[in-house]
Amino acid sequence: MSFNNKNMGFKKSYDSNEDIGWFFFNELIKENNIFKSDENYSYRIHSKMGNSYSPYDIHIVKFDKNDKFVKSYFIEVKVRFESYPTYMLEKSKVNSFKKIKAELYGDEADFLYLNFTPDGAFFWSLNNLIDDDKVEYDKINCNISSVENKGKRKKSVLFFSKEEGKRFNYIFSMMDYNKKVRDEEEQKKKNKLVSKHSFTELFDKLKKD
């Protein structure tokens, strides 16, 4: 997952970037009622965010009401704090998805590219790209790493326009994310206090006994 936190006021780190993307994804599916289990289908969602060796960020498995496998979804996630006419995907990611498809032995799967932007959340299907060996890629200078400053090198990439994607009405909010982080920190402090008090009470009781 790549991430641009320009002028966002916090330290850039791989873990925090992945936490932010995962938080936005959960808010997206909650607000737009997608990948939601009902009486006919259930969805099991697995995050690979934070695993730098994973070829995808999110894996969703869909089952029918008899718990029979229906389809897998493999999703690459990007967070963009600025709007662009097009959004870039590296050829290496498409190749990683091709390898996954080859290992599925015919199982039904969708390969998706998700971008969180100031204009909404956009999904693009990569299925046709994965099946097409004649796709022409652009070669441009890109950052070697989206997390660390390691310079640039030529990469083969594709560009996707917003018009080509499916837009969901979700505008991410760093205020919501920061509130979530503060709430979790407050809860940790409360848990420590409860644990400390419980231990003190137990110790006092043992002394009396």
Side-chain angles (χ1 to χ4, degrees):
M1 177 187 139
S2 76
F3 178 88
N4 178 0
N5 65 359
K6 182 180 179 183
N7 298 325
M8 292 309 296
F10 53 84
K11 183 180 178 181
K12 190 172 189 178
S13 72
Y14 193 80
D15 290 339
S16 64
N17 297 350
E18 304 303 325
D19 288 344
I20 291 167
W22 179 237
F23 174 76
F24 290 165
F25 178 77
N26 281 282
E27 292 296 295
L28 166 70
I29 62 176
K30 182 171 63 177
E31 290 189 15
N32 287 272
N33 202 30
I34 55 176
F35 300 123
K36 184 176 181 180
S37 299
D38 56 28
E39 60 184 12
N40 295 313
Y41 297 104
S42 62
Y43 296 88
R44 297 170 196 173
I45 302 175
H46 310 276
S47 171
K48 290 291 184 178
M49 292 181 168
N51 181 351
S52 59
Y53 297 102
S54 174
Y56 53 86
D57 289 317
I58 296 171
H59 180 208
I60 301 174
V61 187
K62 182 179 181 180
F63 297 89
D64 66 16
K65 60 184 178 182
N66 297 314
D67 210 29
K68 182 180 178 181
F69 171 84
V70 176
K71 180 186 286 191
S72 277
Y73 302 86
F74 296 91
I75 305 174
E76 169 73 1
V77 179
K78 308 286 186 188
V79 176
R80 318 279 190 178
F81 284 99
E82 297 179 30
S83 294
Y84 301 98
T86 57
Y87 294 92
M88 185 184 75
L89 179 68
E90 296 177 16
K91 181 181 179 181
S92 59
K93 181 57 61 177
V94 178
N95 288 341
S96 293
F97 280 171
K98 282 184 178 182
K99 184 177 180 181
I100 292 172
K101 184 172 183 180
E103 294 171 349
L104 292 176
Y105 303 106
D107 281 350
E108 188 73 19
D110 277 345
F111 297 87
L112 303 171
Y113 182 39
L114 168 61
N115 274 233
F116 292 102
T117 82
D119 304 312
F122 292 86
F123 274 103
W124 291 272
S125 173
L126 304 179
N127 290 3
N128 291 336
L129 289 174
I130 291 168
D131 294 331
D132 188 352
D133 292 325
K134 297 181 180 179
V135 176
E136 293 186 4
Y137 291 84
D138 295 310
K139 285 200 172 183
I140 64 171
N141 277 322
C142 297
N143 292 326
I144 293 174
S145 171
S146 61
V147 179
E148 300 177 75
N149 185 9
K150 294 184 176 180
K152 294 179 179 289
R153 73 177 178 202
K154 284 274 187 180
K155 291 185 180 181
S156 296
V157 301
L158 289 171
F159 291 93
F160 297 85
S161 70
K162 288 179 278 193
E163 291 73 24
E164 294 173 306
K166 180 175 177 57
R167 179 185 181 277
F168 285 89
N169 188 28
Y170 170 73
I171 306 297
F172 64 79
S173 167
M174 281 305 301
M175 289 180 63
D176 289 344
Y177 175 76
N178 290 334
K179 181 180 182 302
K180 173 231 180 200
V181 172
R182 287 195 301 270
D183 289 346
E184 288 179 349
E185 289 300 319
E186 285 299 317
Q187 189 59 51
K188 286 179 183 177
K189 290 177 183 177
K190 290 177 182 177
N191 291 343
K192 283 183 179 179
L193 284 173
V194 170
S195 177
K196 182 180 178 181
H197 290 158
S198 298
F199 177 79
T200 302
E201 289 172 4
L202 176 62
F203 185 74
D204 289 343
K205 185 176 185 301
L206 290 173
K207 282 201 318 184
K208 290 177 183 178
D209 293 344

